[in-house]
Coordinates of all heavy atoms in Angstrom, one line a residue:
M1023 N -14.1 20.4 -16.0 CA -13.3 20.8 -14.8 C -12.3 19.7 -14.4 O -12.7 18.6 -14.4 CB -14.3 21.0 -13.6 CG -13.7 21.3 -12.3 SD -14.6 21.1 -10.9 CE -15.5 22.6 -10.6
D1024 N -11.1 20.0 -14.5 CA -10.0 19.1 -14.2 C -9.5 19.0 -12.7 O -10.0 19.8 -12.0 CB -8.8 19.3 -15.1 CG -9.1 19.0 -16.5 OD1 -9.9 18.1 -16.8 OD2 -8.4 19.7 -17.4
G1025 N -8.6 18.1 -12.4 CA -8.2 18.1 -11.1 C -8.9 17.2 -10.2 O -9.6 16.2 -10.5
V1026 N -8.9 17.5 -8.8 CA -9.4 16.6 -7.8 C -11.0 16.5 -7.9 O -11.4 15.5 -7.5 CB -9.1 17.3 -6.4 CG1 -9.4 16.3 -5.3 CG2 -7.7 17.6 -6.3
Y1027 N -11.6 17.6 -8.4 CA -13.0 17.5 -8.4 C -13.7 16.8 -9.7 O -14.7 16.8 -9.8 CB -13.6 19.0 -8.3 CG -13.2 19.6 -7.0 CD1 -12.1 20.6 -7.1 CD2 -13.6 19.2 -5.8 CE1 -11.6 21.1 -5.8 CE2 -13.1 19.8 -4.7 CZ -12.2 20.7 -4.7 OH -11.6 21.2 -3.4
N1028 N -12.8 16.4 -10.5 CA -13.2 15.6 -11.7 C -13.5 14.3 -11.3 O -12.5 13.5 -11.1 CB -12.3 15.8 -12.9 CG -12.8 15.1 -14.1 OD1 -13.6 14.2 -14.1 ND2 -12.5 15.6 -15.2
I1029 N -14.8 13.8 -11.2 CA -15.0 12.4 -10.7 C -14.4 11.3 -11.5 O -13.8 10.3 -11.0 CB -16.5 12.1 -10.6 CG1 -16.9 10.8 -9.8 CG2 -17.2 12.2 -11.9 CD1 -16.6 11.0 -8.3
N1030 N -14.2 11.7 -12.9 CA -13.6 10.6 -13.7 C -12.0 10.4 -13.3 O -11.6 9.3 -13.3 CB -13.7 10.9 -15.1 CG -15.0 10.9 -15.6 OD1 -15.9 10.0 -15.2 ND2 -15.4 11.8 -16.6
N1031 N -11.4 11.5 -12.9 CA -10.0 11.5 -12.5 C -9.9 10.7 -11.3 O -8.9 9.9 -11.1 CB -9.3 12.7 -12.3 CG -9.2 13.5 -13.7 OD1 -9.2 12.8 -14.7 ND2 -8.9 14.8 -13.5
Q1032 N -10.8 10.9 -10.3 CA -10.8 10.3 -8.9 C -11.0 8.8 -9.2 O -10.3 8.0 -8.5 CB -11.8 10.9 -8.0 CG -11.4 12.2 -7.5 CD -10.1 12.1 -6.6 OE1 -9.4 11.0 -6.5 NE2 -9.8 13.1 -5.8
V1033 N -12.0 8.4 -10.0 CA -12.4 6.9 -10.1 C -11.2 6.2 -10.8 O -10.8 5.1 -10.4 CB -13.7 6.8 -10.9 CG1 -13.9 5.3 -11.2 CG2 -14.8 7.4 -10.2
A1034 N -10.6 6.9 -11.8 CA -9.4 6.2 -12.4 C -8.2 6.1 -11.4 O -7.6 5.1 -11.4 CB -9.0 7.1 -13.6
K1035 N -8.0 7.1 -10.7 CA -6.9 7.0 -9.7 C -7.2 5.9 -8.6 O -6.4 5.1 -8.2 CB -6.9 8.4 -8.9 CG -5.8 8.5 -7.9 CD -5.7 9.9 -7.2 CE -4.6 10.0 -6.2 NZ -4.8 9.4 -4.9
I1036 N -8.4 5.7 -8.1 CA -8.8 4.8 -7.2 C -8.7 3.3 -7.8 O -8.2 2.4 -7.2 CB -10.2 4.9 -6.7 CG1 -10.3 6.1 -5.7 CG2 -10.8 3.7 -6.1 CD1 -11.7 6.5 -5.3
A1037 N -9.0 3.3 -9.1 CA -9.0 2.0 -9.8 C -7.4 1.5 -9.8 O -7.0 0.4 -9.6 CB -9.5 1.9 -11.3
G1038 N -6.7 2.6 -10.1 CA -5.2 2.4 -10.2 C -4.6 1.9 -8.8 O -3.7 0.9 -8.8
E1039 N -5.1 2.5 -7.7 CA -4.6 2.1 -6.5 C -5.1 0.8 -6.1 O -4.3 0.0 -5.5 CB -5.0 3.2 -5.4 CG -4.4 4.6 -5.7 CD -5.1 5.7 -4.8 OE1 -6.1 5.5 -4.3 OE2 -4.4 6.7 -4.7
H1040 N -6.3 0.4 -6.5 CA -6.7 -1.0 -6.3 C -5.8 -2.1 -6.9 O -5.4 -2.9 -6.5 CB -8.1 -1.1 -6.7 CG -9.0 -0.7 -5.7 ND1 -10.1 -1.5 -5.0 CD2 -9.3 0.7 -5.1 CE1 -10.7 -0.7 -4.2 NE2 -10.4 0.6 -4.2
L1041 N -5.5 -1.7 -8.2 CA -4.5 -2.6 -9.0 C -3.2 -2.6 -8.3 O -2.6 -3.7 -8.2 CB -4.6 -2.2 -10.3 CG -3.6 -2.9 -11.4 CD1 -4.3 -4.4 -11.4 CD2 -3.6 -2.2 -12.7
L1042 N -2.6 -1.5 -7.9 CA -1.3 -1.5 -7.3 C -1.4 -2.4 -6.0 O -0.4 -3.2 -5.7 CB -1.0 -0.1 -6.9 CG 0.4 0.2 -6.3 CD1 1.5 -0.2 -7.2 CD2 0.6 1.7 -5.8
I1043 N -2.4 -2.3 -5.2 CA -2.5 -3.0 -3.8 C -2.6 -4.4 -4.2 O -1.9 -5.2 -3.4 CB -3.7 -2.4 -3.0 CG1 -3.5 -1.1 -2.5 CG2 -3.9 -3.4 -1.9 CD1 -4.6 -0.3 -2.1
T1044 N -3.4 -4.8 -5.1 CA -3.5 -6.2 -5.5 C -2.2 -6.8 -5.9 O -1.7 -7.9 -5.6 CB -4.5 -6.4 -6.6 OG1 -5.7 -5.9 -6.2 CG2 -4.6 -7.9 -7.1
R1045 N -1.4 -6.0 -6.7 CA -0.1 -6.5 -7.1 C 1.0 -6.5 -5.9 O 1.7 -7.6 -5.9 CB 0.6 -5.5 -8.1 CG -0.2 -5.6 -9.4 CD 0.5 -4.6 -10.5 NE -0.2 -4.7 -11.8 CZ -0.1 -3.7 -12.6 NH1 0.6 -2.6 -12.4 NH2 -0.8 -3.8 -13.8
Y1046 N 0.8 -5.6 -5.0 CA 1.7 -5.7 -3.8 C 1.4 -7.0 -3.0 O 2.3 -7.7 -2.5 CB 1.5 -4.4 -3.0 CG 2.6 -3.4 -3.3 CD1 2.2 -2.2 -3.6 CD2 3.9 -3.5 -2.9 CE1 3.1 -1.2 -4.0 CE2 4.8 -2.5 -3.1 CZ 4.4 -1.4 -3.6 OH 5.4 -0.4 -4.0
V1047 N 0.1 -7.2 -2.8 CA -0.3 -8.4 -2.0 C 0.1 -9.7 -2.7 O 0.6 -10.5 -2.1 CB -1.9 -8.4 -1.8 CG1 -2.3 -9.6 -1.1 CG2 -2.1 -7.2 -0.9
A1048 N -0.1 -9.7 -4.1 CA 0.3 -10.9 -4.7 C 1.8 -11.2 -4.7 O 2.3 -12.3 -4.3 CB -0.1 -10.9 -6.1
E1049 N 2.7 -10.1 -4.8 CA 4.0 -10.2 -4.7 C 4.5 -10.5 -3.2 O 5.3 -11.3 -3.0 CB 4.7 -8.8 -5.1 CG 6.2 -8.9 -5.3 CD 6.6 -9.7 -6.5 OE1 5.6 -9.9 -7.4 OE2 7.7 -10.2 -6.5
F1050 N 3.8 -9.9 -2.3 CA 4.1 -10.2 -0.9 C 3.9 -11.6 -0.5 O 4.7 -12.4 0.0 CB 3.1 -9.3 0.1 CG 3.2 -9.6 1.5 CD1 4.2 -9.1 2.3 CD2 2.4 -10.6 2.1 CE1 4.3 -9.4 3.7 CE2 2.4 -10.8 3.4 CZ 3.4 -10.4 4.2
N1051 N 2.8 -12.3 -1.1 CA 2.5 -13.7 -0.7 C 3.6 -14.6 -1.5 O 4.0 -15.6 -0.8 CB 1.1 -14.0 -1.3 CG 0.0 -13.5 -0.4 OD1 0.2 -13.3 0.8 ND2 -1.1 -13.3 -1.0
K1052 N 4.2 -14.2 -2.6 CA 5.1 -15.0 -3.2 C 6.5 -14.9 -2.6 O 7.1 -15.9 -2.5 CB 5.4 -14.5 -4.8 CG 4.3 -15.0 -5.7 CD 4.8 -14.8 -7.2 CE 4.7 -13.4 -7.5 NZ 5.0 -13.1 -8.9
K1053 N 6.8 -13.8 -2.1 CA 8.2 -13.6 -1.5 C 8.1 -13.8 0.1 O 9.2 -13.8 0.6 CB 8.6 -12.2 -1.8 CG 8.9 -12.1 -3.2 CD 9.6 -10.7 -3.5 CE 9.9 -10.5 -5.0 NZ 10.7 -9.4 -5.2
L1054 N 7.0 -14.1 0.6 CA 6.8 -14.2 2.1 C 7.8 -15.2 2.7 O 8.4 -15.0 3.6 CB 5.4 -14.5 2.5 CG 5.2 -14.7 4.0 CD1 5.6 -13.3 4.7 CD2 3.7 -14.9 4.3
K1055 N 7.9 -16.3 1.8 CA 8.6 -17.4 2.4 C 10.2 -17.2 2.4 O 11.0 -17.6 3.1 CB 8.4 -18.8 1.7 CG 8.6 -18.7 0.2 CD 8.4 -20.0 -0.5 CE 8.6 -19.8 -2.1 NZ 8.2 -20.8 -2.8
D1056 N 10.7 -16.3 1.4 CA 12.1 -16.0 1.3 C 12.5 -15.0 2.4 O 13.6 -15.3 3.0 CB 12.4 -15.3 -0.1 CG 12.1 -16.3 -1.2 OD1 12.0 -17.5 -1.0 OD2 11.8 -15.8 -2.4
R1057 N 11.8 -14.0 2.5 CA 12.1 -12.9 3.6 C 13.5 -12.4 3.4 O 14.3 -12.3 4.5 CB 11.8 -13.5 4.9 CG 10.4 -13.8 5.1 CD 10.1 -14.2 6.6 NE 8.7 -14.5 6.7 CZ 8.1 -15.0 7.9 NH1 8.8 -15.1 8.8 NH2 6.8 -15.3 7.8
D1058 N 14.0 -12.2 2.3 CA 15.3 -11.6 2.0 C 15.2 -10.1 2.1 O 14.2 -9.5 2.5 CB 15.9 -12.0 0.7 CG 15.0 -11.6 -0.5 OD1 14.1 -10.9 -0.2 OD2 15.5 -11.9 -1.6
Q1059 N 16.4 -9.4 1.9 CA 16.5 -8.0 2.2 C 15.6 -7.4 1.2 O 15.0 -6.3 1.4 CB 17.9 -7.5 1.8 CG 18.2 -6.1 2.3 CD 19.7 -5.8 2.3 OE1 20.6 -6.6 1.9 NE2 20.1 -4.7 2.9
E1060 N 15.4 -7.8 -0.2 CA 14.6 -7.1 -1.1 C 13.1 -7.2 -0.7 O 12.3 -6.3 -0.8 CB 14.7 -7.8 -2.5 CG 15.9 -7.6 -3.1 CD 16.1 -6.1 -3.5 OE1 15.3 -5.4 -3.9 OE2 17.3 -5.4 -3.0
F1061 N 12.7 -8.4 0.0 CA 11.4 -8.5 0.5 C 11.1 -7.4 1.5 O 10.1 -6.7 1.4 CB 11.3 -9.9 1.2 CG 9.9 -10.0 1.9 CD1 8.8 -10.3 1.3 CD2 10.0 -9.9 3.4 CE1 7.6 -10.5 2.0 CE2 8.8 -10.0 4.1 CZ 7.6 -10.3 3.4
F1062 N 12.0 -7.2 2.4 CA 11.8 -6.1 3.4 C 11.7 -4.7 2.9 O 11.0 -3.8 3.3 CB 12.7 -6.3 4.6 CG 12.4 -7.4 5.5 CD1 13.2 -8.6 5.3 CD2 11.4 -7.4 6.3 CE1 13.0 -9.7 6.0 CE2 11.1 -8.6 7.0 CZ 11.9 -9.8 6.9
K1063 N 12.5 -4.5 1.8 CA 12.6 -3.2 1.0 C 11.2 -3.0 0.5 O 10.6 -1.8 0.5 CB 13.6 -3.0 0.0 CG 15.0 -2.8 0.4 CD 15.8 -2.7 -0.7 CE 17.3 -2.7 -0.3 NZ 18.2 -2.7 -1.4
G1064 N 10.6 -4.0 -0.1 CA 9.3 -3.8 -0.7 C 8.3 -3.7 0.3 O 7.3 -2.8 -0.1
I1065 N 8.4 -4.2 1.3 CA 7.3 -4.1 2.5 C 7.4 -2.7 2.9 O 6.3 -2.0 3.1 CB 7.6 -5.1 3.6 CG1 7.3 -6.4 3.1 CG2 6.6 -4.7 4.8 CD1 5.8 -6.9 2.5
A1066 N 8.6 -2.1 3.1 CA 8.8 -0.8 3.6 C 8.2 0.2 2.5 O 7.4 1.2 3.0 CB 10.2 -0.5 3.8
T1067 N 8.2 0.0 1.3 CA 7.8 0.8 0.2 C 6.2 0.8 0.3 O 5.5 1.7 0.2 CB 8.2 0.3 -1.1 OG1 9.6 0.5 -1.2 CG2 7.6 1.2 -2.3
F1068 N 5.7 -0.5 0.5 CA 4.3 -0.7 0.5 C 3.6 0.1 1.8 O 2.7 0.6 1.6 CB 3.9 -2.2 0.6 CG 2.5 -2.4 0.7 CD1 1.6 -2.0 -0.4 CD2 1.9 -3.2 1.6 CE1 0.2 -2.2 -0.3 CE2 0.5 -3.4 1.7 CZ -0.3 -2.9 0.7
F1069 N 4.4 0.0 2.9 CA 3.8 0.6 4.1 C 3.8 2.1 4.0 O 3.0 2.8 4.5 CB 4.4 0.1 5.4 CG 4.0 -1.2 5.7 CD1 5.0 -2.1 6.3 CD2 2.7 -1.5 5.7 CE1 4.5 -3.4 6.6 CE2 2.3 -2.8 6.1 CZ 3.2 -3.8 6.6
D1070 N 4.9 2.6 3.3 CA 5.0 4.0 3.0 C 3.7 4.6 2.2 O 3.2 5.5 2.4 CB 6.3 4.3 2.3 CG 7.2 5.3 2.8 OD1 6.9 5.7 4.0 OD2 8.0 5.9 2.0
F1071 N 3.5 3.7 1.1 CA 2.4 4.2 0.3 C 1.0 4.1 1.1 O 0.3 5.0 1.0 CB 2.2 3.0 -0.8 CG 0.8 3.0 -1.6 CD1 0.6 4.1 -2.4 CD2 0.0 2.0 -1.3 CE1 -0.6 4.0 -3.2 CE2 -1.2 2.0 -1.9 CZ -1.5 3.0 -2.9
L1072 N 0.8 3.0 1.9 CA -0.3 2.8 2.7 C -0.4 4.1 3.7 O -1.5 4.8 3.8 CB -0.3 1.8 3.7 CG -0.4 0.4 3.0 CD1 -0.3 -0.8 4.0 CD2 -1.8 0.2 2.3
E1073 N 0.6 4.6 4.3 CA 0.5 5.6 5.2 C 0.4 7.0 4.5 O -0.5 7.8 5.0 CB 1.9 5.7 5.9 CG 2.0 6.7 7.2 CD 3.2 6.5 8.0 OE1 4.3 6.8 7.3 OE2 3.2 6.2 9.1
K1074 N 0.9 7.2 3.5 CA 0.8 8.5 2.8 C -0.5 8.6 1.9 O -1.1 9.7 1.9 CB 2.0 8.8 2.0 CG 3.3 9.0 2.7 CD 4.4 9.2 1.8 CE 5.7 9.3 2.7 NZ 6.9 9.3 1.9
D1075 N -0.7 7.6 1.1 CA -1.8 7.8 0.0 C -3.0 7.1 0.3 O -4.0 7.5 -0.2 CB -1.2 7.3 -1.4 CG 0.0 8.1 -1.7 OD1 0.0 9.4 -1.5 OD2 0.8 7.6 -2.4
L1076 N -3.0 6.0 1.1 CA -4.2 5.2 1.2 C -5.3 5.8 1.9 O -6.4 5.6 1.8 CB -3.8 3.8 1.7 CG -4.7 2.7 1.2 CD1 -4.9 2.7 -0.3 CD2 -4.4 1.4 1.8
L1077 N -4.9 6.6 3.0 CA -5.9 7.3 3.8 C -6.8 8.2 2.9 O -8.0 8.2 3.1 CB -5.3 8.0 5.0 CG -4.6 7.2 6.0 CD1 -4.1 8.1 7.2 CD2 -5.8 6.3 6.7
A1078 N -6.2 9.0 2.1 CA -7.0 9.8 1.1 C -7.9 8.9 0.3 O -9.0 9.4 0.0 CB -6.1 10.6 0.2
H1079 N -7.4 7.7 -0.2 CA -8.2 6.9 -0.9 C -9.4 6.5 -0.2 O -10.4 6.4 -0.7 CB -7.2 5.7 -1.3 CG -7.9 4.5 -2.1 ND1 -7.7 4.3 -3.3 CD2 -8.7 3.6 -1.5 CE1 -8.4 3.2 -3.6 NE2 -9.0 2.7 -2.6
F1080 N -9.1 5.9 1.0 CA -10.2 5.4 1.8 C -11.3 6.5 2.1 O -12.5 6.3 2.0 CB -9.7 4.9 3.2 CG -9.0 3.6 3.1 CD1 -8.5 3.1 4.3 CD2 -8.9 2.9 2.0 CE1 -7.8 1.8 4.2 CE2 -8.4 1.6 1.9 CZ -7.7 1.2 3.1
R1081 N -10.7 7.8 2.4 CA -11.7 8.8 2.7 C -12.6 9.1 1.6 O -13.7 9.3 1.6 CB -11.0 10.1 3.1 CG -10.5 10.1 4.6 CD -10.0 11.4 5.0 NE -9.0 11.2 6.0 CZ -7.6 11.3 5.8 NH1 -7.2 11.7 4.6 NH2 -6.8 11.2 6.8
F1082 N -12.0 9.3 0.3 CA -12.9 9.4 -0.9 C -13.8 8.3 -1.1 O -15.0 8.6 -1.3 CB -11.9 9.6 -2.1 CG -12.7 10.0 -3.4 CD1 -13.2 11.3 -3.6 CD2 -13.0 9.0 -4.3 CE1 -14.0 11.6 -4.6 CE2 -13.7 9.4 -5.5 CZ -14.2 10.5 -5.6
E1083 N -13.5 7.2 -1.0 CA -14.4 6.1 -1.1 C -15.5 6.1 -0.1 O -16.8 5.9 -0.4 CB -13.7 4.8 -1.0 CG -13.0 4.4 -2.3 CD -12.4 2.9 -2.4 OE1 -12.2 2.4 -1.2 OE2 -12.1 2.4 -3.4
E1084 N -15.1 6.3 1.3 CA -16.1 6.2 2.3 C -17.0 7.6 2.3 O -18.2 7.4 2.8 CB -15.4 6.0 3.6 CG -14.7 4.6 3.6 CD -14.0 4.3 4.8 OE1 -13.7 5.3 5.7 OE2 -13.3 3.3 4.9
V1085 N -16.5 8.6 1.8 CA -17.3 9.9 2.0 C -18.1 10.1 0.7 O -19.2 10.7 0.7 CB -16.4 11.1 2.2 CG1 -17.1 12.4 2.1 CG2 -15.7 10.9 3.7
V1086 N -17.5 9.6 -0.4 CA -18.2 10.0 -1.7 C -18.8 8.7 -2.4 O -20.0 8.6 -2.6 CB -17.2 10.6 -2.7 CG1 -17.9 10.9 -4.1 CG2 -16.8 11.9 -2.2
I1087 N -18.0 7.7 -2.6 CA -18.4 6.5 -3.4 C -19.2 5.7 -2.8 O -20.4 5.3 -3.3 CB -17.1 5.7 -3.8 CG1 -16.1 6.6 -4.7 CG2 -17.5 4.4 -4.5 CD1 -16.6 7.0 -6.1
F1088 N -19.0 5.3 -1.5 CA -20.0 4.3 -0.8 C -21.3 4.9 -0.5 O -22.4 4.3 -0.9 CB -19.3 3.9 0.5 CG -18.1 3.1 0.5 CD1 -17.3 2.9 1.5 CD2 -17.6 2.6 -0.7 CE1 -16.2 2.1 1.4 CE2 -16.5 1.8 -0.9 CZ -15.7 1.4 0.2
P1089 N -21.5 6.3 0.0 CA -22.7 6.8 0.2 C -23.6 6.9 -1.3 O -24.7 6.7 -1.3 CB -22.5 8.1 0.9 CG -21.2 7.9 1.5 CD -20.4 7.0 0.5
A1090 N -22.8 7.3 -2.2 CA -23.5 7.5 -3.5 C -24.0 6.2 -4.0 O -25.1 6.0 -4.6 CB -22.6 8.1 -4.6
S1091 N -23.2 5.1 -3.8 CA -23.7 3.7 -4.2 C -24.9 3.4 -3.5 O -25.8 2.7 -4.1 CB -22.5 2.8 -3.9 OG -22.8 1.5 -4.2
L1092 N -24.9 3.5 -2.2 CA -26.1 3.3 -1.3 C -27.3 4.0 -1.7 O -28.3 3.5 -1.8 CB -25.7 3.3 0.2 CG -24.6 2.4 0.6 CD1 -24.4 2.6 2.1 CD2 -25.1 0.9 0.6
V1093 N -27.1 5.2 -2.0 CA -28.2 6.1 -2.4 C -28.8 5.7 -3.8 O -30.0 5.6 -4.0 CB -27.9 7.6 -2.4 CG1 -28.9 8.4 -3.1 CG2 -27.7 8.1 -1.0
G1094 N -27.9 5.5 -4.7 CA -28.2 5.0 -6.1 C -28.9 3.7 -6.0 O -29.7 3.3 -6.9
E1095 N -28.4 2.7 -5.3 CA -29.0 1.3 -5.4 C -28.9 0.7 -3.9 O -27.8 0.2 -3.6 CB -28.3 0.5 -6.3 CG -28.9 -0.8 -6.5 CD -28.2 -1.7 -7.6 OE1 -27.5 -1.1 -8.4 OE2 -28.5 -2.8 -7.7
S1096 N -30.0 0.7 -3.1 CA -30.0 0.3 -1.8 C -30.4 -1.2 -1.7 O -31.1 -1.5 -0.8 CB -30.8 1.2 -0.9 OG -32.1 1.3 -1.3
T1097 N -30.1 -2.0 -2.6 CA -30.5 -3.4 -2.5 C -29.6 -4.1 -1.5 O -28.5 -3.6 -1.2 CB -30.3 -4.0 -3.9 OG1 -28.8 -4.0 -4.3 CG2 -31.1 -3.4 -5.1
Y1098 N -30.0 -5.2 -1.2 CA -29.3 -6.0 -0.1 C -27.9 -6.3 -0.6 O -26.9 -6.1 0.2 CB -30.0 -7.4 0.2 CG -29.3 -8.2 1.1 CD1 -29.2 -8.1 2.4 CD2 -28.5 -9.3 0.5 CE1 -28.4 -8.9 3.3 CE2 -27.8 -10.1 1.2 CZ -27.8 -9.9 2.7 OH -27.1 -10.8 3.5
G1099 N -27.7 -6.7 -1.8 CA -26.3 -7.1 -2.3 C -25.5 -5.9 -2.4 O -24.3 -6.0 -1.9
N1100 N -26.0 -4.7 -2.7 CA -25.1 -3.5 -2.7 C -24.7 -3.1 -1.3 O -23.6 -2.7 -1.1 CB -25.7 -2.4 -3.6 CG -24.8 -1.3 -4.0 OD1 -23.7 -1.7 -4.5 ND2 -25.2 -0.1 -3.8
V1101 N -25.7 -3.1 -0.4 CA -25.4 -2.7 0.9 C -24.3 -3.6 1.6 O -23.4 -3.3 2.2 CB -26.7 -2.7 1.8 CG1 -26.4 -2.5 3.2 CG2 -27.7 -1.6 1.4
L1102 N -24.6 -4.9 1.3 CA -23.6 -6.0 1.7 C -22.3 -5.7 1.2 O -21.2 -5.8 1.9 CB -24.0 -7.4 1.4 CG -23.3 -8.5 1.9 CD1 -23.2 -8.5 3.5 CD2 -23.8 -9.8 1.5
M1103 N -22.1 -5.4 -0.1 CA -20.8 -5.1 -0.8 C -20.1 -3.9 -0.1 O -19.0 -3.8 0.4 CB -20.9 -4.8 -2.2 CG -19.7 -4.5 -2.9 SD -19.8 -4.0 -4.6 CE -20.8 -2.3 -4.4
V1104 N -20.9 -2.7 0.2 CA -20.4 -1.6 0.8 C -19.9 -1.8 2.2 O -18.7 -1.5 2.6 CB -21.3 -0.4 0.8 CG1 -20.9 0.7 1.6 CG2 -21.6 0.0 -0.7
L1105 N -20.7 -2.5 3.0 CA -20.3 -2.9 4.4 C -19.0 -3.9 4.3 O -18.1 -3.7 5.1 CB -21.4 -3.6 5.0 CG -22.7 -2.8 5.3 CD1 -23.7 -3.8 5.9 CD2 -22.3 -1.8 6.4
T1106 N -18.9 -4.8 3.3 CA -17.6 -5.7 3.3 C -16.5 -4.7 2.9 O -15.5 -4.9 3.6 CB -17.9 -6.6 2.2 OG1 -19.0 -7.5 2.5 CG2 -16.7 -7.6 2.1
L1107 N -16.6 -3.8 2.0 CA -15.5 -2.8 1.7 C -15.2 -2.0 2.9 O -13.9 -1.8 3.1 CB -15.9 -2.0 0.4 CG -16.0 -2.8 -0.8 CD1 -16.7 -1.9 -1.9 CD2 -14.7 -3.4 -1.2
Q1108 N -16.1 -1.5 3.6 CA -15.7 -0.7 4.8 C -14.9 -1.6 5.8 O -14.1 -1.1 6.5 CB -16.9 -0.1 5.4 CG -17.5 1.0 4.6 CD -18.9 1.4 5.1 OE1 -19.8 0.8 5.6 NE2 -19.1 2.9 5.1
K1109 N -15.4 -2.8 6.0 CA -14.8 -3.7 6.9 C -13.3 -4.0 6.4 O -12.4 -3.9 7.2 CB -15.5 -5.0 7.0 CG -14.9 -6.1 7.9 CD -15.7 -7.4 8.0 CE -15.0 -8.4 8.7 NZ -15.7 -9.8 8.6
E1110 N -13.1 -4.1 5.1 CA -11.7 -4.3 4.6 C -10.9 -3.1 4.8 O -9.7 -3.3 5.2 CB -11.8 -4.7 3.2 CG -12.4 -6.1 2.9 CD -12.5 -6.4 1.3 OE1 -12.1 -5.6 0.6 OE2 -12.9 -7.4 1.1
H1111 N -11.4 -2.0 4.6 CA -10.7 -0.7 4.9 C -10.4 -0.7 6.5 O -9.1 -0.4 6.7 CB -11.7 0.5 4.7 CG -11.7 0.8 3.2 ND1 -12.4 2.0 2.9 CD2 -11.2 0.5 2.2 CE1 -12.2 2.2 1.5 NE2 -11.6 1.1 1.2
G1112 N -11.2 -1.1 7.4 CA -10.9 -1.1 8.7 C -9.7 -2.1 9.0 O -8.8 -1.8 9.9
M1113 N -9.8 -3.3 8.4 CA -8.6 -4.3 8.6 C -7.3 -3.7 8.1 O -6.4 -4.0 8.9 CB -9.1 -5.6 7.9 CG -10.3 -6.3 8.6 SD -10.7 -7.8 7.9 CE -10.3 -7.9 6.2
V1114 N -7.3 -3.0 6.9 CA -6.1 -2.5 6.4 C -5.6 -1.4 7.2 O -4.4 -1.3 7.6 CB -6.2 -2.1 4.9 CG1 -5.0 -1.4 4.4 CG2 -6.5 -3.3 4.1

């Protein structure tokens, strides 16, 4: 089964989004001191991405991935990791 319901496709998409966000944050930190026109264009693109695509990303993680992780392994470390990730979602 392909498409949205294929868990492998969703996990690959989420991993790619995490990489993209990490790159944006690293680039943001490098260019923060310059604050030129290109910097602000990049920020606008990033916020566009956040607004359009990241909510679906968060929902999938919070409705599918996080609960499955907790059911699969409810150790202290795993619970702490999920809570930390949920906190980071809230901050973003």
